Amino acid sequence: MADFMQKLEKYAELAVKVGVNVQPGQTLVVNATLDSAELTRLIVKKAYERGARLVKVNWSDDTVTRLRYDMAADESFQDEPKWYAGEMLELVENGAAVLHVISSDPDLLKGVNHERITNLQKVTGKAMSKYRQYQQADKFSWSIVAVPSKAWAAKVFPDVPEAEQIGKLWDAIFHTTRIDREDTFEAWDEHIRTLNDKSEYLNGKKFKKLHYIAPGTDLTIELPEGHLWVAADSINQKGHTFLANLPTEEVFTAPLKTGVNGKVSSTKPLSYSGNIIDEFTITFKNGRITDVAAKQGEEVLKQLVSLDEGAHYLGEVALVPHNSPISESNILFYNTLFDENASNHLAIGSAYAFNLKGGKEMNQEQLEQSGLNTSITHVDFMIGSGEMDIFGIAEDGTEIQIFKQGSWAI
């Protein structure tokens, strides 16, 4: 127990110090689930120790969330949460950092009327659009960490005795976030440098397009002029670094909205809105999704793609080696924070402004004119495997293999 508490305290420190990088006098907003109470309290303590002016915790609960979807009036799912959007916008405009502590059941909304889910996503996306623009332009620091819940742990480790499931998921989280290393913070410094080396190489090549080849996948993705590959750490408007995801293994950029052609197949289930989407394919023509099919969750996938016009296009292309620590653990987390860092992935929806040279200073119209997609959603899905090859194609047609059998070839 003492060893666990030491790791938990180190995890809280990592979230505060490296994740959101709380500054003296800064407000920290923590969006947390009740299952994460123990870690959240440590996060609050660590933030105040670093000189936070105020730590504001917004609690949520899976049981309460499910009760709403089952029992609330239909009209309530069409009400814009302007009160929440206004509060969050005011906080980040005044320099607050935002930390999300997640633990939800991947099957939380299984069986719920899909129309309710879609309606709430649409009105929430509309209300939070300006906040999302700030987030995707690195105007403020934000990060995500995870905590096991009973339902999530049971989903990940169904063959493990119930009494051991949460502990086993904690071990996996501590391993993937390098908490189990002797010097966690030094390990993260080294890891960030390694990822940045890859992004610098790709930025130097200025590829015109990427070509993905794998079983069930033959996809070409054109990249916009001035695209930037980014890895791990980001820099907010005030010049402070932060890590949006803990863990992170990706190097990513934005695709040209209208430059995606071909077919791609998923390689891991996607946990989306309390439902699982699995064994699916997506077909593109001139950037737009023209067809989707899934063995599980097809209706949910179709509703995701129809959220708005931007949900018919991609907003992110991310490279993650198949031999990454998360992939090599052979654990299927049913949680995008982890599964996306075990696999090459793409994202349906909006692009990050910082993935374009000068993008942080552009408005939405300028980003669109530069070839980036905008949407009320951004959902990563996993496509990588040990059988995937990726080629970078230069303006003159020269090809360089950047991934071979799922791992870096550069």
Side-chain angles (χ1 to χ4, degrees), residues 253-255 313-317 347-352 355 373 378:
T253 191
Y313 297 84
L314 293 182
E316 180 186 330
V317 47
I348 291 169
S350 58
Y352 289 101
N355 280 136
N373 188 35
H378 179 100

Side-chain angles (χ1 to χ4, degrees), residues 96 135 139 144 170 304 351:
Q135 183 181 45
K139 299 294 185 185
I144 308 173
W170 264 125
L304 163 60

Side-chain angles (χ1 to χ4, degrees), residues 24-45:
Q26 186 178 29
T27 293
L28 173 64
V29 180
V30 184
N31 294 319
T33 59
L34 293 185
D35 289 296
S36 72
E38 191 170 30
L39 176 67
T40 298
R41 290 169 186 142
L42 283 173
I43 286 170
V44 172
K45 180 173 179 286

Side-chain angles (χ1 to χ4, degrees), residues 9-30:
E9 189 160 345
K10 192 192 293 186
Y11 191 33
E13 186 176 359
L14 181 71
V16 169
K17 182 179 177 181
V18 178
V20 284
N21 189 12
V22 171
Q23 300 296 304
Q26 186 178 29
T27 293
L28 173 64
V29 180
V30 184

Side-chain angles (χ1 to χ4, degrees), residues 260-402:
V260 184
N261 288 280
K263 183 178 180 180
V264 66
S265 297
S266 68
T267 53
K268 290 180 180 291
L270 169 61
S271 176
Y272 171 71
S273 289
N275 288 272
I276 300 295
I277 307 170
D278 198 10
E279 295 186 56
F280 58 94
T281 59
I282 303 179
T283 304
F284 298 85
K285 184 176 181 180
N286 297 327
R288 201 172 198 274
I289 294 173
T290 58
D291 186 57
V292 299
K295 286 194 175 179
Q296 180 181 348
E298 184 172 304
E299 189 60 34
V300 179
L301 180 58
K302 287 180 177 178
Q303 290 182 341
L304 163 60
V305 172
S306 64
L307 275 176
D308 65 0
E309 179 59 21
H312 291 81
Y313 297 84
L314 293 182
E316 180 186 330
V317 47
L319 302 178
V320 180
H322 187 64
N323 60 359
S324 69
I326 301 175
S327 179
E328 289 181 338
S329 74
N330 290 317
I331 296 172
L332 180 58
F333 285 88
Y334 295 98
N335 182 297
T336 301
L337 176 63
F338 294 89
D339 291 334
E340 73 168 3
N341 284 298
S343 169
N344 288 318
H345 57 273
L346 306 171
I348 291 169
S350 58
Y352 289 101
F354 56 73
N355 280 136
L356 187 72
K357 187 176 181 180
K360 290 184 180 183
E361 288 73 48
M362 294 182 184
N363 58 34
Q364 292 297 99
E365 184 179 349
Q366 290 170 322
L367 290 170
E368 283 269 10
Q369 290 173 349
S370 298
L372 267 62
N373 188 35
T374 58
S375 172
I376 62 173
T377 193
H378 179 100
V379 178
D380 299 283
F381 63 98
M382 286 60 75
I383 64 169
S385 72
E387 300 176 272
M388 175 166 277
D389 293 333
I390 305 175
F391 298 86
I393 304 172
E395 187 77 48
D396 63 2
T398 304
E399 290 191 8
I400 296 176
Q401 187 163 11
I402 57 177

Side-chain angles (χ1 to χ4, degrees), residues 218-251:
D218 189 350
L219 188 72
T220 302
I221 299 177
E222 193 171 347
L223 303 175
E225 186 177 347
H227 69 273
L228 294 173
W229 290 92
V230 174
D233 53 344
S234 303
I235 301 175
N236 70 14
Q237 195 171 29
K238 294 187 176 181
H240 300 133
T241 60
F242 66 96
L243 257 65
N245 292 346
L246 290 169
T248 183
E249 301 288 339
E250 65 182 328
V251 178

